[in-house]
Amino acid sequence: MAIISLYGIGALLPEVEEEAERVLREKFRLEPRFEGLLPPDATLSRGSQLLADIQLQEVLALKPADALFAGGITPYDLYSGDLNFVFGIALPFKGFVVSYARLLSEDRELFLSRVRKEVTHEMGHVFGLPHCPNPKCVMHFSNSLIDTDLKGEDFCPSCQRKLEEAMAKLGLT
């Protein structure tokens, strides 16, 4: 099974790490390996927001040679480019960063569902999938938390086919 190296950017809630690892195993047939916690890089931060692109660069720079991909998860709020916030970002066939700062809820299951959706969404991008016009597909762009709550945790049939094709090319079938 191919390895994905995971890093916490700042201290993580244990259940977030557990849910992310479960998604990576079940949906992507990857073996998550938690590599440890990293301090957030405040370069180009805006107040309490971190630049997602820099966090992703840090994670990718630490990816061990035996890992296929790398991922970062953080409790810090993120922004990227001209977007005032992002739930996460990804580079195709390299890795992702997800923030759960805006996913928090007093409803534990709702919070964990949001985490699963965002990890799944960013990993879809890692496998080369674009945003999907189907509002129920996990690959639908979330412009707000409402959008995240309305979409499902799974890929629509079209995106699932694209994912399976990308996984097959990497020998992950």
Side-chain angles (χ1 to χ4, degrees):
M1 188 176 279
I3 294 169
I4 179 167
S5 288
L6 284 181
Y7 299 88
I9 303 167
L12 296 181
L13 293 172
E15 60 266 31
V16 170
E17 180 186 339
E18 291 166 11
E19 288 300 307
E21 289 177 350
R22 189 166 66 80
V23 164
L24 295 166
R25 276 190 194 97
E26 293 176 4
K27 292 190 177 186
F28 302 99
R29 298 181 205 106
L30 295 168
E31 183 56 42
R33 183 174 66 203
F34 189 73
E35 306 285 0
L37 299 176
L38 305 175
D41 186 328
T43 305
L44 299 177
S45 64
R46 294 190 315 205
S48 62
Q49 281 189 306
L50 301 175
L51 180 56
D53 309 76
I54 288 177
Q55 310 316 306
L56 181 54
Q57 288 172 7
E58 293 288 321
V59 165
L60 294 177
L62 294 171
K63 182 184 83 63
D66 67 337
L68 183 60
F69 305 125
I73 303 172
T74 185
Y76 291 93
D77 197 21
L78 301 174
Y79 78 96
S80 180
D82 60 353
L83 298 173
N84 65 354
F85 79 92
V86 293
F87 295 118
I89 64 168
L91 282 174
F93 305 100
K94 293 185 187 259
F96 72 91
V97 170
V98 167
S99 165
Y100 62 86
R102 294 177 184 248
L103 305 178
L104 294 167
S105 171
E106 290 182 15
D107 179 334
R108 183 178 183 275
E109 185 47 44
L110 176 61
F111 169 58
L112 294 178
S113 175
R114 290 169 175 171
V115 168
R116 289 189 297 269
K117 288 175 187 181
E118 293 308 324
V119 170
T120 301
H121 179 93
E122 296 307 331
M123 279 302 299
H125 288 316
V126 170
F127 280 98
L129 275 64
H131 286 132
C132 179
N134 181 341
K136 296 296 183 189
C137 179
V138 74
M139 289 310 297
H140 190 71
F141 178 73
S142 291
N143 199 36
S144 69
L145 198 51
I146 293 168
D147 294 334
T148 299
D149 289 343
L150 289 175
K151 69 183 177 182
E153 292 187 24
D154 296 313
F155 298 96
C156 70
S158 175
C159 289
Q160 184 65 42
R161 273 191 305 280
K162 292 175 189 174
L163 174 66
E164 288 172 7
E165 288 169 7
M167 290 176 70
K169 287 179 183 174
L170 293 171
L172 298 174
T173 55

